[in-house]
Amino acid sequence: MNNNTTEFLLWEFSKIWELQIMHVILLLILYLMTIIGNLLIISAIAYDRHLHRPMYFFLINLAFQDIGSVSVIIPKAVFNSFMNIRYISYYGCIAQVLLLVFFLGSDILSLTVMAYDRYVAICNPLQYEMIMNRKACTKMISSVWIASLVNASLHTIVTFISPFCSNIVNQFYCEVPYLLKIACSVSFATKFGVLMFSIILTAGCFVFVIVTYVHAFSAVLRIPSVQGRKKALSTCLPHVIVFFLFVFTASFAYLKPITDHPSFTDFIITLMYSIIPSMLNPIIYSLRNKDIKVSLIRLFDQILLFKKN
């Protein structure tokens, strides 16, 4: 790449120290909630053998991806604020874009695979064990990671292939739309191509999830038992909430016009798709899932018993 840029200047939360500390505290709270919540999900599933099933196999992968996505951006933002600096190195920015797009893309694909898992469990319960066997689940997750890596690599190459006319990124981390805005020679066709690729990928997942859940909810309504319908809905609704929250906030963040001057509104919109879904995933799944709540209680009981002994 013919590029003389050695570092980028990220958005400074505020020149007022007190307001800057408030932003840092907000990010730290969101980060700790995300890390602790997802680690609890991982611990509960790993600890309880009864949860070693396809649904929870996908959920534990989602938890790892959520930890990865927030860890790519928040520690650097907090470090910069505490050290009163704004810069990120050129290669650090490349790494941030690659890893963030990778983890966020894998989130969408994982949620899509989880929709298929729920569809099979509800519409073909007798064949569930045969269809969603360990080999099939491993292939699905491997495909998610590979497709996400390809998607992230394409985004990163297109974003950094041309030199930049400015090194000021009006966001608190290296976000693709803001980087494309300061690129010197990225054509409209290239920018449009990156945007369309993301839209097609997201729209494909969106349509697939809609179709699978239309069939799944139709099957749920035919279940004669009220208890059976409630149990089926309790496994589907959290997934639907998480998926649509993530897709709508991410789509809005990428489709909205990029302003020349940073604003607190842009900061909130970015939080809504890059951090909030990762924080809410363990809360939504644990509150709506009886098996995970029981497993967490058992895990805490074991920890307390070990401390007493």
Side-chain angles (χ1 to χ4, degrees), residues 35-160:
I35 296 296
I36 292 170
N38 282 288
L39 284 177
L40 285 175
I41 291 288
I42 293 169
S43 301
I45 295 172
Y47 165 76
D48 195 339
R49 291 184 179 179
H50 296 95
L51 300 183
H52 293 180
R53 304 198 301 270
M55 173 184 173
Y56 299 104
F57 172 69
F58 296 133
L59 185 55
I60 203 170
N61 274 276
L62 184 66
F64 278 117
Q65 290 156 4
D66 287 338
I67 290 173
S69 63
V70 296
S71 297
V72 168
I73 56 177
I74 294 183
K76 176 59 177 175
V78 170
F79 175 80
N80 278 9
S81 294
F82 274 127
M83 299 301 293
N84 199 26
I85 57 177
R86 292 175 56 191
Y87 68 83
I88 182 172
S89 69
Y90 180 78
Y91 292 104
C93 193
I94 291 177
Q96 200 171 62
V97 169
L98 177 67
L99 292 173
L100 184 62
V101 176
F102 169 71
F103 284 121
L104 293 181
S106 61
D107 258 14
I108 293 178
L109 293 174
S110 291
L111 290 169
T112 305
V113 169
M114 291 169 72
Y116 177 71
D117 172 71
R118 292 299 85 208
Y119 163 77
V120 175
I122 294 170
C123 298
N124 297 290
L126 297 179
Q127 296 180 321
Y128 180 75
E129 294 293 336
M130 181 180 68
I131 297 173
M132 301 301 294
N133 55 61
R134 178 173 293 185
K135 185 177 180 181
C137 292
T138 303
K139 284 183 177 179
M140 288 180 187
I141 287 299
S142 299
S143 300
V144 165
W145 290 100
I146 293 170
S148 300
L149 183 59
V150 171
N151 175 51
S153 300
L154 289 174
H155 271 74
T156 307
I157 291 169
V158 170
T159 303
F160 292 94

Side-chain angles (χ1 to χ4, degrees), residues 174-237:
C174 291
E175 192 175 15
V176 172
Y178 290 88
L179 289 167
L180 290 177
K181 187 173 179 61
I182 62 173
C184 293
S185 58
V186 177
S187 65
F188 173 79
T190 302
K191 292 182 180 180
F192 184 74
V194 173
L195 181 62
M196 284 306 298
F197 185 83
S198 297
I199 291 174
I200 291 170
L201 180 66
T202 305
C205 295
F206 181 81
V207 170
F208 182 84
V209 170
I210 291 291
V211 171
T212 54
Y213 272 110
V214 166
H215 287 289
F217 284 131
S218 298
V220 168
L221 294 175
R222 293 195 298 269
I223 297 175
S225 164
V226 175
Q227 188 69 23
R229 286 198 296 269
K230 286 184 177 179
K231 185 177 180 180
L233 287 173
S234 69
T235 62
C236 293
L237 287 177

Side-chain angles (χ1 to χ4, degrees), residues 219-261:
V220 168
L221 294 175
R222 293 195 298 269
I223 297 175
S225 164
V226 175
Q227 188 69 23
R229 286 198 296 269
K230 286 184 177 179
K231 185 177 180 180
L233 287 173
S234 69
T235 62
C236 293
L237 287 177
H239 179 262
V240 173
I241 293 168
V242 169
F243 182 81
F244 284 105
L245 174 67
F246 183 80
V247 168
F248 283 127
T249 53
S251 299
F252 183 74
Y254 267 71
L255 293 175
K256 70 178 178 66
I258 303 300
T259 58
D260 292 325
H261 302 286

